[in-house]
Amino acid sequence: MTEPQGLTSTEEHLWETFRRGDLCDVRTGDPELDDPTAQHDWGPERTVRAEIIARLLLDGPPHEPGRVAALKLAGAAITGLLNLAGGRVVPYLELRNCRFDTEIRLPEAHFATIRLIRCAIPRFEAARLATAGDLHLVQSTIEAGIRLTDAHIGTDLLLNQMTVRRDRNGRAVSADGLTVGQDVEAELITADGEISLRSARIGGRLSLRGSELRNPGGRYALNAARVTVEHTLYLSSGWTSGYYGGGTPPMGVRTRRFVAEGGIRLDDGRFGNGIIADKARFLLSGAQQLSLRRIQTPELRLALEEPPSGRISLAGARVGNLTDAQSSWPSAGRIDLAGFTYETIAAHGSFPLHRRIAWLADATPEYNPEPYEHLAQALRGGGEDNDAREVLLARQRRRRETLPLAGTVWGYVQDITVGYGYRPGRAALWLAVLWAVGTTYFACGPAPLPVDEHAWPHWNPALFSLDLLLPFVDLGQSHAWRLAGTAQWGATVMTLVGWILATTVAAGASRLLRRG
């Protein structure tokens, strides 16, 4: 292709560097003057027409021998509409510190790799875009939203330290149906409007470390229903490390919390490695909530320094290991654990058992045994048998609140005597006390007359009292003597109490066998 006529000196320079794959750099070297978001006037010596960029990318001149054609431009003001819709672009594209005066349109275009670094862009329209390599919008400012609906990114999507504002529909990023071969890094971004990743598929991790997602007037700051993340979702703190994200900060480096001002929706999401939410703030109002309904993940780490200001829902979620903190959970009525299952549980910091039980009470305004049973099973799986019994005892006490008067009274009897079978040692203590009381009472009174005058059994107050207390054992004493007056009433009371204790112990033994 011959060089077109009427090119400016900057465009001629770009034409030549394209053939060699070199960088066409028109920056001044002054960071303030080279900032594409500043209001400084960039003269014609730094201006490139969008139509020239389009001609180079779609039908550019052949590369020089031994070189690879690539469009690399830094510090230019790009005028006019860059429209590559439906095009097939072979050359590598990299723009740094460039300023666009109108939107970029790339719907249904095919690229190798796109890198737009520290650029100012009115809008990035790229529905059904396909790249064999990366798409970078690192440190760029986009005033009216990004659209990547049904786009396919071959390797990584990097959005680190980007600032993006909402479009006319209230969305900062529209990426429903997005497919990314490897990682999506959106660390330390500032988004004004909803980020929508519904039904997106991400082959690696989705990292939002240190980002600020703000959509207080809308329903969601992040709407990622039915998302699939093969590795880990990070909603945690981040720190600045060049263009390409945070990672693990070294000692002493200041970090920035993840902040979501608006609802988070991860319903029906699948996460191959885990969800990490710590050093994060969830500022919710109205109907906004942190919704993790029916998610599936091997690990959920919810270790917040302060609870969300709205509701948390884990209804129907399936988690392998749950790590949480006492400070992660909001107050009563703002937790939904219906159908939530987990295999193991661990606390980040101090989380006493009585507070853990209160957490279940807060999550079940109406009595539901399942959350108690899941917690007891997880504690038992971790070797905490005593704690598991305390949780099951708390379940019985919650159930007692729903029973009629007779059931409530019977429940109190079981609780006081043997702790609903979860404290069976109490039964032996009660029996020993009653046996001692009965023995003393009958020993202090006159010996009763025998029923059979010819048998003349030997009167033994201790065996007589024990025979009254053990209804399933016949020691030959309780039916051998004639009682009258207060002694008869005392024997009747001991028999009734013995029956109560015996049936309660039997119920506790059956529960113990079921647990075994």
Side-chain angles (χ1 to χ4, degrees):
M1 176 183 179
T2 59
E3 182 178 311
Q5 301 298 313
L7 295 181
T8 66
S9 58
T10 301
E11 292 170 346
E12 289 180 352
H13 182 42
L14 177 62
W15 200 271
E16 290 303 317
T17 56
F18 175 85
R19 299 182 62 207
R20 299 192 302 271
D22 292 340
L23 174 65
C24 178
D25 193 348
V26 294
R27 291 176 293 187
T28 66
D30 185 332
E32 184 177 352
L33 294 177
D34 291 333
D35 182 0
T37 62
Q39 298 303 314
H40 301 292
D41 182 30
W42 291 1
E45 72 282 359
R46 297 183 64 174
T47 300
V48 175
R49 289 171 290 172
E51 62 182 276
I52 300 302
I53 293 177
R55 290 187 65 178
L56 285 171
L57 292 175
L58 296 175
D59 192 22
H63 59 82
E64 292 185 357
R67 308 299 290 270
V68 176
L71 197 155
K72 299 179 182 179
L73 178 61
I78 299 173
T79 60
L81 175 64
L82 180 57
N83 188 354
L84 298 171
R88 185 170 294 275
V89 177
V90 176
Y92 172 91
L93 173 62
E94 180 177 316
L95 303 177
R96 292 175 178 262
N97 296 85
C98 289
R99 176 191 296 171
F100 290 79
D101 65 0
T102 189
E103 69 179 10
I104 298 176
R105 293 183 185 172
L106 306 178
E108 301 191 36
H110 290 72
F111 280 80
T113 292
I114 304 174
R115 291 185 177 177
L116 305 180
I117 300 171
R118 283 184 178 167
C119 292
I121 307 167
R123 177 169 171 79
F124 190 80
E125 176 68 48
R128 298 174 296 283
L129 168 72
T131 70
D134 296 345
L135 171 60
H136 296 188
L137 294 170
V138 175
Q139 294 186 342
S140 293
T141 299
I142 301 174
E143 293 295 334
I146 299 171
R147 189 180 181 201
L148 289 169
T149 306
D150 296 319
H152 178 84
I153 309 302
T155 51
D156 295 330
L157 173 61
L158 301 186
L159 308 173
N160 297 324
Q161 303 174 56
M162 176 186 67
T163 298
V164 57
R165 298 181 177 89
R166 67 185 63 222
D167 61 15
R168 60 186 179 183
N169 296 317
R171 290 184 174 177
V173 178
S174 298
D176 297 341
L178 171 71
T179 302
V180 179
Q182 296 182 19
D183 296 336
V184 175
E185 289 193 5
E187 300 183 356
L188 299 165
I189 73 170
T190 301
D192 175 23
E194 178 182 323
I195 294 181
S196 184
L197 292 169
R198 293 178 298 179
S199 300
R201 300 185 63 87
I202 298 168
R205 62 179 182 169
L206 171 56
S207 179
L208 290 160
R209 291 183 175 123
S211 293
E212 295 184 359
L213 314 182
R214 302 193 181 275
N215 191 24
R219 188 170 183 182
Y220 303 113
L222 173 63
N223 186 358
R226 301 178 300 281
V227 70
T228 299
V229 179
E230 295 295 337
H231 198 266
T232 306
L233 168 62
Y234 292 97
L235 305 176
S236 53
S237 61
W239 68 293
T240 303
S241 177
Y243 288 133
Y244 302 113
T248 302
M251 293 294 292
V253 171
R254 292 186 62 184
T255 60
R256 191 173 85 173
R257 288 184 181 182
F258 171 83
V259 176
E261 190 174 356
I264 300 290
R265 185 187 183 201
L266 302 176
D267 298 351
D268 299 295
R270 302 293 182 268
F271 304 89
N273 197 54
I275 300 175
I276 309 298
D278 57 11
K279 296 184 179 178
R281 298 184 66 196
F282 297 96
L283 308 176
L284 312 174
S285 60
Q288 295 173 345
Q289 59 182 273
L290 176 56
S291 181
L292 294 87
R293 294 181 175 90
R294 300 176 298 279
I295 64 166
Q296 295 185 24
T297 179
E299 180 179 5
L300 172 60
R301 183 179 180 86
L302 192 65
L304 309 179
E305 296 177 357
E306 59 183 271
S309 54
R311 184 177 176 85
I312 292 181
S313 178
L314 282 158
R318 298 173 59 187
V319 172
N321 179 58
L322 171 64
T323 301
D324 64 348
Q326 181 177 338
S327 56
S328 298
W329 301 101
S331 57
R334 294 187 173 186
I335 308 172
D336 184 3
L337 301 180
F340 174 41
T341 62
Y342 46 92
E343 296 175 7
T344 60
I345 190 167
H348 178 77
S350 175
F351 204 156
L353 182 62
H354 72 277
R355 289 301 311 151
R356 179 72 72 184
I357 293 173
W359 165 65
L360 291 181
D362 290 345
T364 52
E366 296 183 0
Y367 169 68
N368 183 359
E370 289 184 2
Y372 292 89
E373 292 167 358
H374 289 312
L375 177 57
Q377 183 177 359
L379 291 172
R380 192 177 296 114
E384 302 291 341
D385 290 339
N386 291 334
D387 288 351
R389 286 193 290 270
E390 288 296 323
V391 171
L392 294 175
L393 177 58
R395 179 195 64 178
Q396 292 292 345
R397 289 170 174 167
R398 281 294 306 279
R399 177 176 175 271
R400 186 174 66 208
E401 298 172 2
T402 67
L403 299 177
L405 179 60
T408 301
V409 172
W410 177 240
Y412 274 110
V413 170
Q414 291 191 82
D415 194 356
I416 294 170
T417 54
V418 292
Y420 285 96
Y422 298 108
R423 294 175 179 173
R426 287 185 180 179
L429 178 61
W430 278 108
L431 285 171
V433 170
L434 290 174
W435 186 20
V437 170
T439 300
T440 303
Y441 174 78
F442 289 112
C444 292
L449 297 175
V451 174
D452 186 355
E453 297 180 355
H454 301 287
W456 287 103
H458 178 70
W459 168 245
N460 188 321
L463 289 179
F464 183 77
S465 298
L466 188 59
D467 203 4
L468 292 174
L469 289 171
L470 300 178
F472 304 124
V473 178
D474 187 3
L475 300 178
Q477 286 286 328
S478 61
H479 301 293
W481 303 98
R482 296 177 181 177
L483 300 178
T486 57
Q488 187 177 22
W489 283 107
T492 303
V493 169
M494 291 189 67
T495 301
L496 291 175
V497 172
W499 273 102
I500 292 173
L501 283 174
T503 55
T504 306
V505 170
S510 66
R511 276 192 286 267
L512 185 62
L513 289 173
R514 285 199 300 270
R515 293 199 299 271

